């Protein structure tokens, strides 16, 4: 029923990001605080200022404690998460021991229910999908928030375990320090427990003796003299830890004699810079909209801008989910379905290095850690331009309590000085000289997920001509200059894949299509990456082909001087 | 002597744009007015207003009559072009007949001379390179502007002819109307000379009977009821015209019975639109710099911005030329050579259609028509953002007289709300919560060349992290819906080529390298193209790898709220 002739698809179910990285990479766990620990965050995000740099981490403070769902696809509210927790705590199988909650999110209604729902209609039954771990078993539950009952409960019959919790990660990271061999290794390097810390690289099962148990590798760093401990790895020192018993399964130190990199030059903070870069000073520049942005956000999650409407929400695993993207036909005014659901299904980082302390690094950052909690608060004016709207995420911690990930999504109108369409006519032929041009305006929804020493920026960009661009920016660290040039640089824009899809253009008309689009990077470290590299990006586009009857923005007005803002420099600049 | 480890090259000599287009394409001749014809333009560009749309075609008016060259690479001035013309008119071989001038531009000094030249030094001898046509022979001359003599003169011994002049094109376009068969064809279609016009598609030699003579195809259009005659082709009607004798060599009409497309809906002008598109109105948005842009232009052509310096000039063939691009080392402050010369060598549009009225369409728009004169005045606020600087081109007409192509280049600082670099630190590991991000700022030099019904936008973008992006935007027309879906869509970003180059990273160090980069598009028309399509783009990047000691913008300051402009809506909006 979703009429479309979009070049690629009318539906993306998954966007797989395959990050083939060769640089030093150690993902830490995402920030998944329990409410007890981060009380102020639990039901309201507060406005905090970093005095050192002077920018605010967010503009507004939203009270989530009273939120109620407005749309079938709205994420679980604080109240709903609390209700689910209450239901589970009185659920008979868990009466003796409360399991640890690894996933607690909306169990989305069927597509047809969502599509036929209209504003004002009662919401379809609200349900929660829960993944809980108890005594080494994964419990998959559905909790009905109308009947307040567990309506489905199976124990995962196959192998594999749910997403890691903060408790898992923090627990495993502490284990080494009670291990004699480990402490001997620290001492041998002139380190101690007071100036070193450990984190957990990717989980996984490697070999029969790891089957049927949750194990994880633990690696460590020297912390002294830097805010950037990733630059000071204790190379070759790897422990395998049992996540449930919290004990060392295997100890390996092949790194004696490998010096720990020094801390000098590793601090990237503005407050730590001694001299500005050698360049002419830049005058302030800003995207200005004194009348405010042109988009509206209705009922918390419905975004309306120009000829676009879509549902935008935070997601614990995917980070950000776009649902029910619809574009208004420039001729008929009809609101037409384009994409039912779009999100990142995984962020895959295989190192493909056989070394004993590297072979297991084959991350699935979305599935193992979750991109949502890794999407820390965006920095206004620097992560997102002025006039951005910031959206929080509401997730469940390991104890089942809700917590707020403040300002993890920004939404902004983008004008880069580019051209939407143009044409000139030569006066020697045409009856008159013609110069027609239109500025290019787009709407961007963005998150920036920090997984360990990597930052991933996800942009979903909507153009008034009907095109959707999915652009990923990455800023991995390099280990150090020793790595430079060891491999080839190749950053694929993925167009070969697009080409393949476009060949299938005709057959997709009026069909529901699921696209797994793999967008790949291959990064070779170089000096310019140190200690934090400039962003590099890759993208792909969903483009309407014979979807509209003509150029949908032909009738758009040009920009006129007398419509533009009147600005003056700020007092301070 | 040009130390570099740029990922691709330290020198681009040529950028080839291969435009594989399948859409309806008929390039008209570039606007090459002689001074006699366009007196006001000859030595000064005037400010003209289009009352219908209300935007000015340029901001400033520059008097070029008194310009003198300041840099070895500065283009020939109005005075110098006049001098060359005077020298040629008294040059003995041309005393009886003045040849037609097809190219008249600076004969650039040797690279070493340019590199060793310092501001304040006398300029190397100024010379003009001239291509003139007389009695069917191509004369290649060098004119010395110090001795005021022709210092070199050879007659092109090989086949091939120079760039077409306005006289060539206008002359050929008139020929059909004095041809009886042609007028019969018009009448047969209910047309007449009063409501039709002809233009010249690409030149070329096809078959032995065309050897040794300058011939060109001529095709025609109905002009009634539209400002957009390209949408009303007289299909199948093709004449071959001798450019020197101005007579019909061959007449072919295979199009009787093919209706001329109707004019309705073809007018793309804002003033001709009856209704706005079906979308929510957009508030004014603008890149604002109340303290002005951060770049400086010294001596007319030297651009200085942030850590970049380069020479920017208009060029009759290439449209725009970047020379001596140098970046300041963020550590040492040293100004380091990156790219000696960058420009588009050709814009190749092969149709590869065997049909009698299509087979000859294999355009070389730069070499046949010249991108410079095709780069009509940019439209402020729509082709380029506010605070853009506009640069004129000074070229020679067929009669050797200088003329000004006003506002054909714009230069602007770009801020798109994107991120230069960022990193967050997880408070559970780091001693404190860290959120560091920097806005991404770039400098763009742009031209927009209109060749017939195609517009080509060339962006040369300079980033503070040392990366240069060459991005091409195109807006071809489609013929009409009959063409839709006839071929595959494939738009290459050209990264495969980049990959090949990057493999040669090490060997290129400290070497001068010439890169011919082929950037390709393949366009299949669709409904959304009608009557003018939204821009599509493709780009490639030159990226520093182990060129700097570290991230060159690590020390850059973040944006602070209190530095940003204070804006209010304009009275009218």
């Amino acid at each position: 029923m979703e009429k479309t002739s979009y070049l690629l698809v009318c539906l993306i179910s998954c966007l797989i990001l395959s990050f083939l990285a060769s640089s030093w990479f150690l993902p830490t766990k995402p920030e998944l605080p329990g409410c007890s620990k981060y009380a102020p965050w639990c039901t309201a995000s507060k406005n905090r200022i970093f005095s050192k740099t002077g920018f605010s981490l967010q503009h507004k403070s939203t009270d989530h404690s009273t939120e109620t769902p407005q749309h079938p696809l709205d994420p679980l509210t604080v109240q709903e998460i609390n209700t689910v927790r209450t239901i589970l705590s009185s659920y008979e199988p868990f009466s003796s021991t409360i399991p640890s909650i690894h996933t607690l999110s909306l169990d989305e209604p069927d597509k047809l229910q969502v599509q036929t729902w209209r504003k004002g209609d009662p919401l379809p039954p609200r349900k929660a999908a829960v993944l809980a771990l108890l005594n080494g078993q994964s419990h998959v539950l559905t909790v009905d928030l109308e009947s307040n009952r567990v309506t489905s409960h199976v124990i995962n019959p196959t192998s594999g375990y749910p997403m890691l919790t903060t408790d898992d990660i923090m627990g495993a990271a502490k284990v080494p320090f009670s291990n004699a061999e480990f402490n001997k290794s620290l001492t041998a390097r002139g380190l101690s427990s007071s100036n070193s810390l450990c984190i957990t690289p990717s989980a996984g099962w490697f070999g029969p003796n790891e089957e049927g148990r949750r194990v994880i590798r633990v690696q460590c760093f020297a912390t002294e003299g830097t805010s950037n401990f990733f630059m000071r790895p204790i190379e070759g020192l790897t422990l395998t830890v049992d996540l449930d018993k919290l004990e060392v399964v295997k100890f390996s130190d092949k790194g004696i004699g490998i010096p720990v990199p020094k801390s000098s030059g590793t601090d990237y903070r503005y407050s730590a810079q001694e001299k500005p870069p050698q360049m002419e000073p830049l005058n302030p520049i800003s995207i200005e909209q004194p009348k405010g942005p042109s988009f509206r956000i209705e009922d918390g999650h419905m975004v309306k801008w120009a000829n676009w409407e879509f549902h935008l929400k935070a997601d614990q695993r995917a980070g950000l989910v776009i649902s029910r993207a619809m574009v208004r036909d420039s001729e008929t005014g009809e609101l037409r379905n384009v994409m039912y659901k779009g999100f990142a299904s995984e962020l895959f980082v295989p190192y493909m290095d056989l070394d004993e302390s590297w072979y297991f690094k084959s991350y699935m950052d979305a599935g193992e850690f979750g991109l949502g909690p890794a999407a820390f608060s965006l920095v206004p004016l620097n992560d997102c331009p002025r006039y951005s709207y910031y959206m929080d995420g509401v997730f469940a911690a390991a104890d089942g309590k809700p917590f707020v990930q403040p300002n993890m999504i920004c939404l902004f109108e983008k004008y880069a000085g580019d051209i939407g369409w143009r044409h000139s006519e030569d006066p020697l032929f045409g009856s008159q000289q013609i110069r027609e041009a239109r500025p290019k305006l787009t709407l961007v929804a963005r998150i920036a997920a920090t997984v360990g020493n990597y930052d991933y920026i996800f942009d979903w960009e909507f153009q008034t001509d009907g095109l959707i661009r999915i652009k990923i920016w990455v800023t991995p660290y390099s280990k150090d200059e020793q790595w430079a040039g060891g491999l080839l640089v190749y950053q694929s824009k993925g167009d070969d894949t697009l080409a393949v899809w476009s060949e299938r253009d005709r057959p997709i008309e009026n069909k529901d299509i699921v696209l797994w689009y793999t967008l790949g990077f291959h990064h070779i470290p170089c000096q310019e990456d140190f200690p934090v590299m400039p962003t590099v990006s890759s993208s792909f586009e969903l483009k309407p082909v014979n979807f509209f009857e003509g150029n949908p923005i032909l009738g758009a007005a040009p920009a006129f001087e007398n419509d533009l803002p009147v600005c003056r420099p700020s007092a301070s600049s």
Side-chain angles (χ1 to χ4, degrees), chain A residues 120-156:
Chain A
D121 295 351
L123 293 182
R126 298 282 288 175
K127 296 176 185 170
V130 178
L131 255 176
L133 202 73
L134 185 61
N135 309 326
Q137 286 184 314
S138 306
H139 297 254
V140 185
L141 307 109
T142 307
V143 178
D144 185 315
L145 286 157
E146 276 190 277
S147 60
N148 289 339
R149 294 187 309 103
V150 174
T151 54
S152 157
H153 179 182
V154 295
I155 291 171
N156 175 26

CSV table of all heavy atoms in Angstrom, one decimal, chain A residues 120-156:
chain,number,residue,atom,x,y,z
A,120,GLY,N,-5.6,11.3,17.3
A,120,GLY,CA,-6.9,11.3,18.0
A,120,GLY,C,-7.4,9.9,18.2
A,120,GLY,O,-8.1,9.7,19.2
A,121,ASP,N,-7.1,9.0,17.4
A,121,ASP,CA,-7.4,7.6,17.6
A,121,ASP,C,-6.7,7.1,18.9
A,121,ASP,O,-5.7,7.6,19.3
A,121,ASP,CB,-6.9,6.7,16.5
A,121,ASP,CG,-7.6,7.0,15.2
A,121,ASP,OD1,-8.6,7.8,15.2
A,121,ASP,OD2,-7.2,6.4,14.1
A,122,PRO,N,-7.3,6.2,19.6
A,122,PRO,CA,-6.6,5.5,20.8
A,122,PRO,C,-5.4,4.8,20.2
A,122,PRO,O,-5.4,4.3,19.1
A,122,PRO,CB,-7.6,4.5,21.3
A,122,PRO,CG,-8.6,4.3,20.2
A,122,PRO,CD,-8.6,5.6,19.4
A,123,LEU,N,-4.3,4.8,21.0
A,123,LEU,CA,-3.1,4.1,20.6
A,123,LEU,C,-3.3,2.6,20.6
A,123,LEU,O,-4.1,2.1,21.4
A,123,LEU,CB,-1.9,4.5,21.6
A,123,LEU,CG,-1.4,5.9,21.6
A,123,LEU,CD1,-0.3,6.0,22.5
A,123,LEU,CD2,-1.0,6.3,20.2
A,124,PRO,N,-2.7,1.9,19.7
A,124,PRO,CA,-2.7,0.4,19.8
A,124,PRO,C,-2.1,0.0,21.1
A,124,PRO,O,-1.3,0.8,21.7
A,124,PRO,CB,-1.7,0.0,18.6
A,124,PRO,CG,-1.7,1.2,17.7
A,124,PRO,CD,-1.9,2.4,18.6
A,125,PRO,N,-2.4,-1.2,21.6
A,125,PRO,CA,-1.9,-1.6,22.9
A,125,PRO,C,-0.4,-1.4,23.1
A,125,PRO,O,0.4,-1.7,22.2
A,125,PRO,CB,-2.2,-3.1,23.0
A,125,PRO,CG,-3.3,-3.3,22.0
A,125,PRO,CD,-3.2,-2.2,21.0
A,126,ARG,N,0.0,-0.8,24.2
A,126,ARG,CA,1.5,-0.5,24.4
A,126,ARG,C,2.1,-1.8,25.0
A,126,ARG,O,1.6,-2.3,26.0
A,126,ARG,CB,1.6,0.7,25.4
A,126,ARG,CG,1.0,2.0,24.8
A,126,ARG,CD,2.0,2.6,23.8
A,126,ARG,NE,3.2,3.2,24.5
A,126,ARG,CZ,4.1,3.7,23.8
A,126,ARG,NH1,4.1,3.7,22.4
A,126,ARG,NH2,5.2,4.2,24.4
A,127,LYS,N,3.2,-2.2,24.4
A,127,LYS,CA,3.9,-3.4,24.9
A,127,LYS,C,5.4,-3.1,25.0
A,127,LYS,O,5.9,-2.3,24.2
A,127,LYS,CB,3.6,-4.6,23.9
A,127,LYS,CG,2.2,-5.0,23.8
A,127,LYS,CD,2.1,-6.1,22.8
A,127,LYS,CE,0.6,-6.5,22.6
A,127,LYS,NZ,0.4,-7.4,21.4
A,128,ALA,N,6.0,-3.8,25.9
A,128,ALA,CA,7.5,-3.7,26.1
A,128,ALA,C,8.1,-5.0,25.7
A,128,ALA,O,7.6,-6.1,26.1
A,128,ALA,CB,7.8,-3.3,27.5
A,129,ALA,N,9.2,-4.9,24.9
A,129,ALA,CA,10.0,-6.1,24.7
A,129,ALA,C,11.2,-6.1,25.6
A,129,ALA,O,11.9,-5.1,25.8
A,129,ALA,CB,10.6,-6.0,23.2
A,130,VAL,N,11.4,-7.1,26.4
A,130,VAL,CA,12.4,-7.2,27.4
A,130,VAL,C,13.3,-8.4,27.2
A,130,VAL,O,12.9,-9.5,26.8
A,130,VAL,CB,11.7,-7.3,28.8
A,130,VAL,CG1,12.8,-7.4,29.9
A,130,VAL,CG2,10.8,-6.2,29.1
A,131,LEU,N,14.6,-8.1,27.3
A,131,LEU,CA,15.6,-9.1,27.3
A,131,LEU,C,16.3,-9.1,28.7
A,131,LEU,O,16.9,-8.1,29.1
A,131,LEU,CB,16.7,-8.9,26.2
A,131,LEU,CG,16.6,-9.8,25.0
A,131,LEU,CD1,17.7,-9.3,24.0
A,131,LEU,CD2,16.8,-11.2,25.4
A,132,ALA,N,16.1,-10.2,29.4
A,132,ALA,CA,16.7,-10.2,30.8
A,132,ALA,C,17.6,-11.5,31.0
A,132,ALA,O,17.4,-12.5,30.3
A,132,ALA,CB,15.5,-10.3,31.8
A,133,LEU,N,18.5,-11.3,31.9
A,133,LEU,CA,19.5,-12.4,32.1
A,133,LEU,C,19.4,-12.9,33.5
A,133,LEU,O,19.5,-12.1,34.4
A,133,LEU,CB,20.9,-12.0,31.7
A,133,LEU,CG,21.9,-13.1,31.4
A,133,LEU,CD1,21.6,-13.7,30.0
A,133,LEU,CD2,23.3,-12.5,31.4
A,134,LEU,N,19.2,-14.2,33.7
A,134,LEU,CA,19.1,-14.8,35.0
A,134,LEU,C,19.8,-16.1,35.1
A,134,LEU,O,19.5,-17.0,34.2
A,134,LEU,CB,17.6,-14.9,35.5
A,134,LEU,CG,17.4,-15.3,36.9
A,134,LEU,CD1,17.9,-14.4,37.9
A,134,LEU,CD2,15.9,-15.5,37.1
A,135,ASN,N,20.7,-16.3,36.0
A,135,ASN,CA,21.5,-17.6,36.1
A,135,ASN,C,22.0,-18.0,34.7
A,135,ASN,O,21.8,-19.2,34.4
A,135,ASN,CB,20.5,-18.6,36.7
A,135,ASN,CG,19.9,-18.1,38.0
A,135,ASN,OD1,20.5,-17.4,38.7
A,135,ASN,ND2,18.7,-18.5,38.2
A,136,GLY,N,22.5,-17.1,34.0
A,136,GLY,CA,23.2,-17.5,32.7
A,136,GLY,C,22.2,-17.8,31.6
A,136,GLY,O,22.6,-18.2,30.5
A,137,GLN,N,20.9,-17.6,31.9
A,137,GLN,CA,19.9,-17.8,30.8
A,137,GLN,C,19.3,-16.5,30.3
A,137,GLN,O,19.0,-15.6,31.1
A,137,GLN,CB,18.8,-18.7,31.3
A,137,GLN,CG,19.2,-20.2,31.5
A,137,GLN,CD,18.0,-21.0,31.9
A,137,GLN,OE1,17.3,-20.6,32.8
A,137,GLN,NE2,17.9,-22.2,31.2
A,138,SER,N,19.1,-16.4,29.0
A,138,SER,CA,18.5,-15.2,28.4
A,138,SER,C,17.0,-15.4,28.4
A,138,SER,O,16.5,-16.3,27.7
A,138,SER,CB,19.0,-14.9,27.0
A,138,SER,OG,20.4,-14.9,27.0
A,139,HIS,N,16.3,-14.5,29.0
A,139,HIS,CA,14.8,-14.5,29.0
A,139,HIS,C,14.3,-13.5,28.1
A,139,HIS,O,14.6,-12.3,28.2
A,139,HIS,CB,14.2,-14.3,30.4
A,139,HIS,CG,14.6,-15.4,31.4
A,139,HIS,ND1,13.8,-16.3,31.9
A,139,HIS,CD2,15.8,-15.6,32.0
A,139,HIS,CE1,14.4,-17.1,32.7
A,139,HIS,NE2,15.7,-16.7,32.8
A,140,VAL,N,13.4,-13.9,27.1
A,140,VAL,CA,12.8,-13.0,26.1
A,140,VAL,C,11.4,-12.8,26.5
A,140,VAL,O,10.6,-13.8,26.4
A,140,VAL,CB,13.0,-13.6,24.7
A,140,VAL,CG1,12.4,-12.5,23.7
A,140,VAL,CG2,14.4,-13.9,24.4
A,141,LEU,N,11.0,-11.6,26.9
A,141,LEU,CA,9.6,-11.4,27.4
A,141,LEU,C,8.9,-10.3,26.7
A,141,LEU,O,9.5,-9.3,26.2
A,141,LEU,CB,9.7,-11.0,28.9
A,141,LEU,CG,10.4,-12.0,29.9
A,141,LEU,CD1,11.7,-11.3,30.3
A,141,LEU,CD2,9.5,-12.3,31.1
A,142,THR,N,7.6,-10.4,26.7
A,142,THR,CA,6.7,-9.3,26.2
A,142,THR,C,5.8,-8.9,27.4
A,142,THR,O,5.2,-9.8,28.0
A,142,THR,CB,5.8,-9.7,25.0
A,142,THR,OG1,6.7,-10.3,24.0
A,142,THR,CG2,5.0,-8.6,24.5
A,143,VAL,N,5.9,-7.6,27.7
A,143,VAL,CA,5.0,-7.1,28.8
A,143,VAL,C,4.0,-6.2,28.3
A,143,VAL,O,4.2,-5.3,27.5
A,143,VAL,CB,5.9,-6.3,29.8
A,143,VAL,CG1,5.0,-5.8,31.0
A,143,VAL,CG2,7.0,-7.2,30.4
A,144,ASP,N,2.7,-6.6,28.6
A,144,ASP,CA,1.6,-5.8,28.1
A,144,ASP,C,1.2,-4.7,29.1
A,144,ASP,O,1.0,-5.0,30.3
A,144,ASP,CB,0.4,-6.8,27.9
A,144,ASP,CG,-0.8,-6.0,27.3
A,144,ASP,OD1,-1.1,-4.9,27.7
A,144,ASP,OD2,-1.4,-6.6,26.3
A,145,LEU,N,1.2,-3.5,28.6
A,145,LEU,CA,1.0,-2.4,29.6
A,145,LEU,C,-0.4,-2.0,29.8
A,145,LEU,O,-0.7,-1.1,30.5
A,145,LEU,CB,1.8,-1.1,29.1
A,145,LEU,CG,3.3,-1.3,29.3
A,145,LEU,CD1,4.1,-0.4,28.4
A,145,LEU,CD2,3.7,-1.0,30.8
A,146,GLU,N,-1.3,-2.7,29.1
A,146,GLU,CA,-2.7,-2.5,29.4
A,146,GLU,C,-3.2,-3.5,30.4
A,146,GLU,O,-3.8,-3.1,31.5
A,146,GLU,CB,-3.6,-2.7,28.1
A,146,GLU,CG,-3.6,-1.5,27.2
A,146,GLU,CD,-4.6,-1.7,26.1
A,146,GLU,OE1,-4.2,-2.3,25.1
A,146,GLU,OE2,-5.8,-1.2,26.2
A,147,SER,N,-2.9,-4.8,30.2
A,147,SER,CA,-3.3,-5.8,31.2
A,147,SER,C,-2.2,-5.9,32.3
A,147,SER,O,-2.4,-6.7,33.3
A,147,SER,CB,-3.4,-7.2,30.5
A,147,SER,OG,-2.1,-7.5,30.0
A,148,ASN,N,-1.1,-5.1,32.2
A,148,ASN,CA,-0.1,-5.2,33.2
A,148,ASN,C,0.4,-6.6,33.5
A,148,ASN,O,0.6,-7.0,34.6
A,148,ASN,CB,-0.5,-4.5,34.5
A,148,ASN,CG,-0.7,-3.0,34.4
A,148,ASN,OD1,0.0,-2.5,33.5
A,148,ASN,ND2,-1.4,-2.4,35.2
A,149,ARG,N,0.5,-7.4,32.4
A,149,ARG,CA,1.0,-8.8,32.6
A,149,ARG,C,2.1,-9.1,31.6
A,149,ARG,O,2.2,-8.5,30.6
A,149,ARG,CB,-0.2,-9.7,32.3
A,149,ARG,CG,-1.4,-9.7,33.3
A,149,ARG,CD,-2.4,-10.8,33.0
A,149,ARG,NE,-2.8,-10.8,31.6
A,149,ARG,CZ,-2.4,-11.7,30.7
A,149,ARG,NH1,-1.5,-12.7,31.1
A,149,ARG,NH2,-2.8,-11.7,29.5
A,150,VAL,N,2.9,-10.1,32.0
A,150,VAL,CA,3.8,-10.7,31.0
A,150,VAL,C,3.0,-11.6,30.1
A,150,VAL,O,2.4,-12.6,30.5
A,150,VAL,CB,4.9,-11.5,31.8
A,150,VAL,CG1,5.8,-12.2,30.8
A,150,VAL,CG2,5.8,-10.6,32.6
A,151,THR,N,2.9,-11.3,28.8
A,151,THR,CA,2.1,-12.0,27.9
A,151,THR,C,2.9,-13.0,27.1
A,151,THR,O,2.3,-13.9,26.4
A,151,THR,CB,1.4,-11.1,26.9
A,151,THR,OG1,2.4,-10.3,26.3
A,151,THR,CG2,0.4,-10.2,27.7
A,152,SER,N,4.2,-12.9,27.1
A,152,SER,CA,5.0,-13.9,26.4
A,152,SER,C,6.3,-14.0,27.2
A,152,SER,O,6.9,-13.0,27.6
A,152,SER,CB,5.2,-13.5,25.0
A,152,SER,OG,6.4,-14.1,24.5
A,153,HIS,N,6.8,-15.3,27.3
A,153,HIS,CA,8.1,-15.5,28.0
A,153,HIS,C,8.7,-16.8,27.5
A,153,HIS,O,8.2,-17.9,27.7
A,153,HIS,CB,7.8,-15.6,29.5
A,153,HIS,CG,9.0,-15.9,30.3
A,153,HIS,ND1,9.0,-16.1,31.7
A,153,HIS,CD2,10.3,-16.0,30.0
A,153,HIS,CE1,10.2,-16.3,32.1
A,153,HIS,NE2,11.1,-16.2,31.1
A,154,VAL,N,9.8,-16.6,26.8
A,154,VAL,CA,10.6,-17.8,26.4
A,154,VAL,C,12.1,-17.6,26.8
A,154,VAL,O,12.5,-16.5,26.9
A,154,VAL,CB,10.6,-18.0,24.8
A,154,VAL,CG1,9.1,-18.3,24.4
A,154,VAL,CG2,11.1,-16.8,24.1
A,155,ILE,N,12.7,-18.7,27.0
A,155,ILE,CA,14.1,-18.7,27.3
A,155,ILE,C,14.9,-19.0,26.0
A,155,ILE,O,14.6,-20.0,25.3
A,155,ILE,CB,14.5,-19.8,28.4
A,155,ILE,CG1,13.9,-19.3,29.7
A,155,ILE,CG2,16.0,-19.9,28.6
A,155,ILE,CD1,14.0,-20.4,30.8
A,156,ASN,N,15.8,-18.0,25.7
A,156,ASN,CA,16.5,-18.1,24.4
A,156,ASN,C,17.1,-19.5,24.3
A,156,ASN,O,18.0,-19.9,25.0
A,156,ASN,CB,17.6,-17.0,24.4
A,156,ASN,CG,18.4,-17.2,23.1
A,156,ASN,OD1,18.0,-17.7,22.1
A,156,ASN,ND2,19.7,-16.7,23.3
